[in-house]
Amino acid sequence: MRQFRPNLIRSALTVAAIAAAVPASAATLSVGPGKTYARPCQAFAAAKTGDVIQITGNVTYSGDVCGIYASNLTIRGVNGRPKIDAAGKNAMGKGTWVVVGNNIVVENVEMLGAKVPDRNGAALRLEGTNFTLRSAFIHDNENGILSGVNTASNIVIEYSEFGYNGNGTGQTHNVYIGNAGSLTFRYNFSHDANVGHNLKSRARTNMIAYNRFSSTPAGQVGTTTSGKPSYEIDLPNAGTSYIIGNVIHQPSVHSNPNIVAYGVEGASNPGHDLYVVNNTFLNDDSVRGNAVLVGTGVTKKILLQNNIFAGTGTWTNQVGAVEKTNYRSLAPGFVNRANFDLRPTANALVIGAASTPGVSATGVSLKPGAEYRHRASGATRPVVGALDIGAYESAL
């Protein structure tokens, strides 16, 4: 299916800055059998600022671990997706690729097998400023992505799949973003974290839009082993955060009954604004669960608007949370719940029943403009007439 990519608007100043950072002599370095460089890390070592590194796909590069030091690189799998298997090795005791350079873009790679002695290894360990991951498959690592503290860094992760990352202690995750300036997480499929979270972010601003967070029943065949995730989304230090248009599914077998957590480790980020708009929550725990668990240090009331909540449990533990035109039922009508076709069937309380989302306190539109498409893609949301409640418009 064709991927939906939103328009990216950049100021003239930003474009000029990027252009100035990329030298006119930027080169394309080719990696793979019969190419100039046999392995990706050889090309990374030779790369200069602004170079493009093309890695031949449908090839496994075993034990190819290293630091990436040059900045403004684009690293891209071509003619298929290359498989980067750490195969028992690690760079600097941290993971497979340790991204030290700034403004790095990684596209169309598969990465697995990151393990280190302290059990905190990552396929991608982010230490530079600004990073983009696109169209990747990151699985079976101790951490899929792990970043440190860098409030100047803006991280974008899109059109990618994460599965069965985590070492089983609950301290490692599919994606773990430290105290960055911002995280944009969109059009991704994050599932089956091994006891940890499907997404954990301490970033000051989080835009989490049009993703699917879910896990497979034990024993069911999928792209990875079935996992027992804790939170589907964990924003432990609060931050100005937007959760818009997602499918957020808690499996019956899990490691924490709550689905989304906000500010539960101390609301130390400057923003305490959480906007949860037009999501579809599915809770397969037959007894309990908060859709959104809010820490006591959060000073503002969260917004829950136009969401569907299927199953048992409660919307939130926060007293006085702002709730607008949400719909909950043990079994809402979907076209095909088992196959995650979550377009609502005829129900006047859902179809055309959403209230119009406004804007955030900083002027960000809360209206959903897209829908998640499986696997790790998206499409424009086909609104006809009034907006429907939930992550999808009706098929009617």
Side-chain angles (χ1 to χ4, degrees), residues 53-276:
I53 298 168
Q54 295 189 339
I55 305 171
T56 300
N58 299 318
V59 175
T60 298
Y61 302 88
S62 294
D64 196 50
V65 301
C66 58
I68 301 172
Y69 293 94
S71 293
N72 298 90
L73 300 181
T74 297
I75 299 165
R76 178 183 298 130
V78 296
N79 300 318
R81 181 178 279 169
K83 181 181 290 188
I84 314 300
D85 185 349
K89 297 184 179 181
N90 70 80
M92 297 172 259
K94 297 179 179 181
T96 304
W97 290 351
V98 181
V99 182
V100 182
N102 302 326
N103 305 312
I104 303 295
V105 177
V106 175
E107 298 179 338
N108 193 38
V109 299
E110 178 179 353
M111 301 184 71
L112 69 154
K115 296 181 180 180
V116 301
D118 69 3
R119 303 190 68 197
N120 199 34
L124 290 160
R125 178 71 174 262
L126 310 184
E127 297 186 350
T129 299
N130 300 334
F131 176 80
T132 297
L133 178 72
R134 183 177 296 123
S135 302
F137 180 26
I138 311 295
H139 63 97
D140 293 276
N141 304 280
E142 290 176 329
N143 287 284
I145 295 179
L146 176 61
S147 79
V149 176
N150 185 348
T151 58
S153 186
N154 299 302
I155 297 170
V156 177
I157 301 171
E158 58 187 8
Y159 304 104
S160 294
E161 179 179 355
F162 301 86
Y164 206 71
N165 299 287
N167 65 20
T169 65
Q171 304 300 310
T172 52
H173 314 284
N174 269 352
V175 179
Y176 187 2
I177 303 302
N179 192 209
S182 71
L183 168 67
T184 299
F185 193 84
R186 58 195 176 197
Y187 312 111
N188 300 300
F189 177 35
S190 187
H191 60 97
D192 292 294
N194 183 20
V195 183
H197 309 314
N198 282 330
L199 171 62
K200 181 168 185 172
S201 175
R202 300 183 188 273
R204 295 190 172 196
T205 301
N206 298 280
M207 174 58 77
I208 302 167
Y210 320 123
N211 307 283
R212 173 174 157 182
F213 301 92
S214 70
S215 295
T216 55
Q220 181 173 315
V221 176
T223 53
T224 65
T225 301
S226 296
K228 291 176 59 178
S230 295
Y231 302 129
E232 303 304 316
I233 302 171
D234 183 22
L235 308 175
N237 301 129
T240 298
S241 299
Y242 308 86
I243 300 176
I244 299 175
N246 302 279
V247 174
I248 308 174
H249 166 236
Q250 174 165 255
S252 58
V253 179
H254 53 73
S255 300
N256 192 297
N258 299 295
I259 301 174
V260 172
Y262 183 72
V264 297
E265 293 184 25
S268 57
N269 277 330
H272 290 181
D273 304 277
L274 176 61
Y275 306 91
V276 183

Side-chain angles (χ1 to χ4, degrees), residues 7 10 19 39 41-42 80 112-113 120 128 135 161 173 185 190 203 244 263 282 288 295 304 306 364 367 377 389:
N7 291 329
R10 296 177 176 174
R39 303 167 72 81
C41 286
Q42 294 172 338
L112 69 154
N120 199 34
S135 302
E161 179 179 355
H173 314 284
F185 193 84
S190 187
I244 299 175
L282 308 173
R288 56 188 176 158
L304 290 162
N306 298 342
V364 174
K367 184 177 180 179
S377 187
I389 293 174

